[in-house]
Amino acid sequence: MSNRGKRYLMKKTYRGIRQNISTKKLLKDELWVDSLSEGGDPLWAMAYPARYAVGMANLGFQYICTYLKELGVAVERFFDDIEGDRSLEEGRPVGNFPIITFSVVYEPDVKKMLNMLNRWGVSPLWKDRAEKREPIIGVGGSLSVINPLIFSHIADFVVLGDGEEVIPYLVKTVRGFSETGDRNEFWEFIAEHPSIFVPPLHLDMLRRGETLERKKSFCLDLSKAKGHALWVSPHTVFPDTLLIETQRGCFRGCPYCTIPSCFGRPRFRQLKEVIDDIRKASKLGIRRLGVIAPESGDYPWIKEVLKEIRDARLEVSFASLRIDNISDLLLETLVEGGQRQITIAPETGDQYFRVCCGKNFTNEHILDTLQKAQKIGLRKVKMYFMLGLPNEEDKHILETAKLIMEVKKNTGMNVVASVGLFIPKPQTPWANMGFSHSTYKNKVSLLKSAIAGLKGSEIRVQSAREAKEEYRITWANADDTLDYFYSDVAPNRNKTVEQLKNLGF
């Protein structure tokens, strides 16, 4: 499933999460999977620019909190919906923290991050914060690997990749800053790490066309990664679920997807480590697992993992499933754990287009797999589609409508079709493809009219406004100031590609 699909799924799921829960109850209801000390030095604000329910369902965010705690840092969490805009743990105002780091995963979160800073009274620009001696701001997360230039005027530093290889150096440098308060010295020291982009030092160099030779940080040995979430909570979009990682990177090479292009070659956690996490969950009384991977079926020991889950009688969900990787064993494991729905991403109903998207399976394969799923006990299927693919014509959209109708007719399952607009992303093979925002509404109307009246089906559509904003933000470059995020100016994609190349990407 693409990042676009995951984000849409979380947005829809969150509607069922109860809001306005007190911080006291949020903390009380959290289950600590590992025992780690609280307190320490320095004070460090770790922020996620979304609600608690969404932020705590992000394994990367939890990883960073864990690593900081293991290094003796007094890290406290901030979310977009915590009462009083104070830290979750101790209720401290953000001004008490010398450093604030944001985990930014999706493009719309950039504006949420800016809104949080404005609400807190913290200047959103690094230049202004330096003059006013306000907190240092750092950024990490998926978006900083796809296009760190987005944060050129906002962040004091941007982590370019996996945190495992960067966090110890970052903590050491921040401790030095907390003692001296010398911001210029902090910038100089932190820029010595090749996987950290430091706009106060690097911005003018990029604008002059100089080469920076920054490089992405990849954790090649996943035994160094924590592997599982630190907290389990009933108040997240994946309630009472222990998130477990099995894989990073992807070999599939889907040309629209940022994962194979931006996040390194495939690497896998060892089977014993994953099994140990499953058994830990069972020992702690956790009954639900969420398996986090670009494509769960590509894990070399997936059969052994499924057998362990079944033996423990646990419920499991997967972040991503390709139809050509769904086995009978996987379907049976889902049903035995209590699942009644399955999520797939055909992307299109047209076979040729699907192959172009990197997904070489037929509509017949989709129907055969879903018929098996229905017979085993699954009652609902969510399917993710894109409109506006390169060289798309009306006939291709009608093929998508035909597939939706055939799934309903041949399986009897309730069908949810989640539709988004194809957005070309930096660093991907389709980065230079067109963005058909102007015709998107007509494409959606054609699809809807083609399946109008189909009982037991639902279409959920990404708005044209959201798609356009995502496109503009994802292509921001070092020349785009803060006003760019609130304007209608078209992005300069060629400039972004040039500056990313000079950055080292």
Side-chain angles (χ1 to χ4, degrees), residues 243-273:
L243 303 178
I244 295 176
E245 184 177 33
T246 58
Q247 173 189 345
R248 294 183 196 176
C250 181
F251 66 86
R252 295 287 181 171
C254 299
Y256 62 89
C257 185
T258 57
I259 295 175
S261 303
C262 301
F263 294 91
R265 63 175 175 80
R267 53 260 195 224
F268 307 94
R269 291 183 69 210
Q270 291 298 310
L271 174 61
K272 182 182 182 303
E273 296 169 350

Side-chain angles (χ1 to χ4, degrees), residues 422-437:
F422 163 68
I423 299 172
K425 294 296 180 80
Q427 304 187 64
T428 65
W430 280 1
N432 293 325
M433 294 299 179
F435 176 61
S436 58
H437 169 265

Side-chain angles (χ1 to χ4, degrees), residues 55 65 70 91 117 137 144 250 253 290 302 340 458:
C65 291
E70 288 176 340
L117 290 174
I137 301 291
S144 66
C250 181
I302 187 65
R340 291 297 177 264
E458 177 186 356

Side-chain angles (χ1 to χ4, degrees), residues 58-73:
N58 184 278
L59 187 55
F61 176 80
Q62 291 216 31
Y63 273 173
I64 301 305
C65 291
T66 302
Y67 298 149
L68 291 174
K69 284 180 176 291
E70 288 176 340
L71 291 168
V73 172

Side-chain angles (χ1 to χ4, degrees), residues 247-447:
Q247 173 189 345
R248 294 183 196 176
C250 181
F251 66 86
R252 295 287 181 171
C254 299
Y256 62 89
C257 185
T258 57
I259 295 175
S261 303
C262 301
F263 294 91
R265 63 175 175 80
R267 53 260 195 224
F268 307 94
R269 291 183 69 210
Q270 291 298 310
L271 174 61
K272 182 182 182 303
E273 296 169 350
V274 177
I275 295 296
D276 286 346
D277 285 346
I278 295 171
R279 291 176 179 173
K280 173 176 279 194
S282 186
K283 184 177 181 180
L284 290 172
I286 300 168
R287 307 309 304 165
R288 296 175 184 167
L289 303 176
V291 177
I292 306 298
E295 170 43 51
S296 298
D298 287 341
Y299 185 63
W301 305 285
I302 187 65
K303 290 182 180 178
E304 290 84 351
V305 169
L306 293 172
K307 182 179 183 300
E308 183 72 25
I309 291 171
R310 293 180 75 182
D311 289 347
R313 300 182 181 278
L314 301 179
E315 180 180 339
V316 64
S317 60
F318 297 92
S320 181
L321 290 173
R322 276 178 63 111
I323 199 76
D324 50 352
N325 259 344
I326 298 177
S327 64
D328 291 350
L329 176 61
L330 190 148
L331 292 173
E332 291 165 0
T333 305
L334 287 173
V335 173
E336 287 182 8
Q339 291 278 9
R340 291 297 177 264
Q341 69 179 39
I342 187 170
T343 302
I344 60 174
E347 307 300 353
T348 173
D350 184 87
Q351 176 63 28
Y352 172 75
F353 263 37
R354 189 179 301 122
V355 172
C356 291
C357 287
K359 300 192 172 184
N360 192 16
F361 48 84
T362 65
N363 287 353
E364 288 72 25
H365 193 160
I366 294 172
L367 291 171
D368 180 62
T369 301
L370 292 180
Q371 284 173 333
K372 289 181 181 178
Q374 189 275 333
K375 290 178 181 177
I376 289 175
L378 293 167
R379 296 291 176 259
K380 183 177 182 180
V381 57
K382 291 185 179 180
M383 298 190 291
Y384 288 90
F385 297 101
M386 284 189 286
L387 296 179
L389 290 165
N391 303 314
E392 183 180 73
E393 299 176 16
D394 286 355
K395 64 181 181 181
H396 303 124
I397 298 173
L398 293 175
E399 285 297 313
T400 295
K402 181 180 177 182
L403 175 59
I404 294 170
M405 291 186 287
E406 287 181 343
V407 168
K408 181 60 185 175
K409 176 182 176 182
N410 287 276
T411 69
M413 302 172 80
N414 290 322
V415 178
V416 175
S418 179
V419 179
L421 177 61
F422 163 68
I423 299 172
K425 294 296 180 80
Q427 304 187 64
T428 65
W430 280 1
N432 293 325
M433 294 299 179
F435 176 61
S436 58
H437 169 265
S438 60
T439 60
Y440 178 51
K441 290 183 179 179
N442 292 336
K443 294 174 184 292
V444 170
S445 295
L446 177 61
L447 179 62

